[in-house]
């Protein structure tokens, strides 16, 4: 038996397990908000089992074999939302171990089928209890007959994060020639984040580590955990992260559609969440080399409703900018305008050299007849003033801004009903007279809603 395929990523053999790790790093130029900031994705779908979890599963299986806990006749038993299970099933087949997995019954049909392809035995658990329900079931089975099973328990097993300490982290340092400045990874068991993060901090202490979580307990980011509402994995140490970013499911879904259409890169929802976080980090930097882990490929989610897009929605994915670039001075002017008109909404035009770029915020009068605390209107005269200013400065009208007094910076139904396509709608929230967050939105082609742009 080779000592550990993961210890020696550069001297590879020809067995299946030797093909785990050494995944490619690809640059995502279109998603970089400014020159000087590089964004790279580490494509974990290129592992033989199709996901990042091949690394952890291999390390745990090898550790089990070495320690004797996974001796002849023992059944490998664990709880998994999918990818670890696929990796166990693959490795069990390759190394002659039976595999039994507890899986929430709502995992996608292609996942169930894939697990059976490799010969795994499945125990379905209550979908309402998610991965925590599967964990509870495994514990119950194991406690009844501990002598029959090897229970690697990926949530508590140090081999999980050590796999990444010994492979993923080393590879990233090599592939970026030590240039990495920021590392971004989602939290499931947290093995990827903890192991890679610890290696990076050890070898390059200045690297900043950014963990990614869903923004709410009920989310569609398979493989990720919302830690406050979940059973917290024993291997997770929240103090390792320099920053913890929360991502909405819709934002991640929108990004994976764009990645497929615009980069030819078809990945799963948790990769979209990692990219959203990477772009957010990038927006706050002048220079940097950001590496985000893309845990798996998109084909595992083909039956997910996120791909049930209408032809009109299909048309939404165009060359629309991903970012709204705006000078700090102009953003400050918009914030001040919002604070000045509080508790009424302020409004103005966004002018710039091209869509997605604002060099001048041009204040306009809110001409809504009443209820200016909740609505704004750019009347015909004000609209002509904005056009005249654009003509005078040689700029284009690229969008409008307005404030939301004591409301979040999210578009209302009124905003939806009155928006035009191909323009940016920047909203600044003003609370008790103080300007807070600014977010920008773009109308979908079918007018069904807005897509968020990253304000950089
Ligand atoms: N994304 C996907 C699709 C996953 O399956 C997992 C594993 N649960 C993760 C992200 C998170 O990886 P980790 O368990 O190493 O935190």
């Amino acid at each position: 038996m080779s000592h550990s395929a993961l210890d020696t990523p550069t001297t590879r053999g020809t067995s299946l397990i030797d093909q785990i790790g050494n995944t490619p790093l690809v640059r995502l130029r279109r998603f970089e908000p400014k020159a000087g900031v590089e964004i790279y994705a580490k494509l974990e779908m290129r592992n033989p089992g199709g996901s990042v979890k091949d690394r952890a599963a291999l390390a745990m299986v090898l550790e089990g074999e070495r320690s004797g806990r996974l001796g002849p006749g023992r059944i490998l038993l664990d709880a998994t939302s999918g990818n670890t299970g696929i990796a166990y099933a693959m490795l069990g087949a390759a190394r002659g171990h039976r595999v039994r997995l507890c899986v929430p019954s709502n995992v996608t049909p292609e996942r169930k089928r894939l697990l059976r392809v490799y010969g795994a035995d499945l125990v379905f658990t209550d979908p309402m209890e998610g991965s925590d329900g599967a964990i509870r079931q495994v514990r119950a089975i194991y406690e009844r007959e501990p002598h029959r099973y090897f229970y690697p328990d990926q949530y508590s097993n140090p081999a999980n994060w050590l796999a990444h300490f010994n492979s993923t982290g080393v590879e990233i340092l090599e592939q970026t020639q030590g240039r990495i400045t920021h590392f971004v990874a989602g939290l499931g068991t947290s093995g990827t984040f903890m192991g890679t993060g610890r290696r990076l901090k050890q070898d390059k202490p200045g690297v900043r580590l950014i963990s990614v979580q869903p923004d709410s307990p009920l989310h569609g980011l398979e493989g990720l955990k919302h830690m406050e509402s979940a059973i917290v994995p024993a291997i997770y140490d929240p103090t390792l992260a320099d920053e913890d970013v929360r991502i909405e499911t819709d934002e991640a879904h929108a990004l994976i559609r764009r990645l497929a259409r615009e980069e030819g890169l078809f990945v799963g929802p948790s990769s979209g969440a990692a990219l959203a976080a990477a772009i957010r980090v990038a927006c706050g930097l002048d220079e940097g080399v950001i590496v985000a882990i893309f845990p798996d490929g998109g084909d595992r989610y083909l039956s997910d409703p996120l791909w049930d897009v209408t032809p009109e929605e299909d048309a939404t994915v165009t060359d629309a900018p991903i970012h709204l670039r705006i000078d700090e001075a102009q953003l400050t002017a918009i914030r001040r305008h919002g604070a000045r008109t509080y508790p009424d909404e302020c409004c103005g035009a966004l002018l710039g050299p091209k869509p997605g770029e604002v060099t001048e915020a041009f204040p306009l009068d809110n001409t809504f007849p009443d209820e200016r605390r909740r609505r704004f209107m750019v009347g015909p005269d004000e609209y002509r003033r904005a056009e005249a200013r654009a003509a005078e400065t040689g700029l284009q009208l690229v969008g409008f801004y307005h404030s939301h007094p004591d409301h979040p910076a999210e578009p209302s139904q009124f905003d939806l009903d009155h928006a035009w396509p191909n323009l940016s709608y920047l909203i600044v929230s003003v609370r008790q007279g103080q300007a807070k967050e600014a977010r920008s939105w773009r109308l979908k082609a079918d007018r069904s809603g807005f897509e968020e742009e990253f304000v950089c």
Side-chain angles (χ1 to χ4, degrees), residues 335 338-340 342-344 403-410 427-439:
R335 288 180 196 282
R340 208 161 55 238
Y342 181 87
D344 286 348
S403 62
H404 274 185
D406 299 316
H407 276 292
E410 290 164 16
I427 305 176
V428 60
S429 172
V430 184
R431 290 178 192 276
Q432 291 163 347
Q434 302 257 323
K436 302 284 181 193
E437 81 276 9
R439 295 169 74 177

Side-chain angles (χ1 to χ4, degrees), residues 81-96:
S81 67
N83 282 327
T84 309
I86 293 166
Y88 284 141
M90 176 188 78
L91 290 166
R95 298 183 76 79

Side-chain angles (χ1 to χ4, degrees), residues 115-384:
L115 292 167
R116 291 203 176 103
V117 163
Y118 289 117
D121 172 21
L122 304 184
V123 179
F124 292 118
T125 60
D126 187 342
M128 296 309 288
E129 295 183 31
S131 57
D132 290 350
I135 295 171
R136 281 189 280 269
Q137 179 73 29
V138 159
R139 288 181 182 163
I141 295 175
Y142 183 72
E143 273 155 29
R144 273 199 302 274
E145 296 178 290
H147 55 282
R148 288 189 67 198
Y149 297 103
F150 167 55
Y151 172 27
D153 185 5
Q154 56 166 339
Y155 295 94
S156 313
N157 192 332
N160 175 356
W161 69 264
L162 280 166
H164 297 281
F165 185 83
N166 290 323
S167 69
T168 322
V170 179
E171 291 167 31
I172 291 172
L173 286 163
E174 280 176 11
Q175 287 170 309
T176 62
Q177 285 100 37
R179 294 174 62 243
I180 178 173
T181 59
H182 294 76
F183 173 69
V184 179
L187 299 175
T189 64
S190 81
T192 309
F193 181 78
M194 297 305 299
T196 313
R198 283 185 178 134
R199 165 65 71 176
L200 294 171
K201 281 274 189 204
Q202 176 191 289
D203 291 3
K204 191 176 173 189
V207 170
R208 282 184 69 82
L209 306 178
I210 297 106
S211 56
V212 185
Q213 293 188 49
D215 70 334
S216 73
L218 289 174
H219 63 88
L221 301 172
E222 202 167 311
L224 299 189
K225 263 181 185 281
H226 178 257
M227 291 293 179
E228 284 95 344
S229 59
I231 300 179
V232 178
I235 60 169
Y236 176 52
D237 173 4
T239 64
L240 181 68
D242 295 297
E243 211 179 313
D244 180 61
V245 174
R246 304 303 168 108
I247 299 297
E248 287 173 24
T249 298
D250 281 356
E251 192 179 353
H253 285 179
L255 279 175
I256 62 170
R257 287 195 207 98
R258 294 197 70 148
L259 274 166
R261 294 300 186 82
E262 298 169 29
E263 296 276 2
L265 190 56
F266 185 31
V267 291
S270 70
S271 303
L275 178 58
I279 296 173
R280 264 197 224 165
V281 169
C283 286
L285 301 177
D286 291 325
E287 275 189 345
V289 175
I290 304 169
V291 175
I293 298 288
F294 279 16
D296 64 2
D299 41 9
R300 267 175 201 174
Y301 308 88
L302 273 175
S303 63
D304 192 290
L306 94 99
W307 295 108
D308 294 340
V309 281
T310 61
E312 292 76 21
E313 276 173 327
D314 259 11
T316 311
V317 185
T318 58
D319 284 335
I322 291 161
H323 317 96
L324 182 75
R325 294 187 180 93
I326 177 163
D327 291 4
E328 204 49 48
Q330 300 305 313
L331 200 52
T332 305
I334 292 172
R335 288 180 196 282
R336 290 217 177 104
H337 191 188
R340 208 161 55 238
T341 60
Y342 181 87
D344 286 348
E345 291 194 4
C346 73
C347 64
L350 300 172
L351 307 177
K354 60 178 189 202
E357 251 182 74
V358 177
T359 50
E360 179 174 345
F362 185 66
L364 298 170
D365 284 334
N366 181 354
T367 55
F368 202 82
D370 43 61
E371 275 202 284
R372 280 193 295 274
R373 288 172 184 221
R374 292 182 43 233
R375 308 216 185 302
F376 82 101
M377 181 193 273
V378 174
D381 290 343
E382 288 302 280
Y383 187 81
R384 271 192 290 277

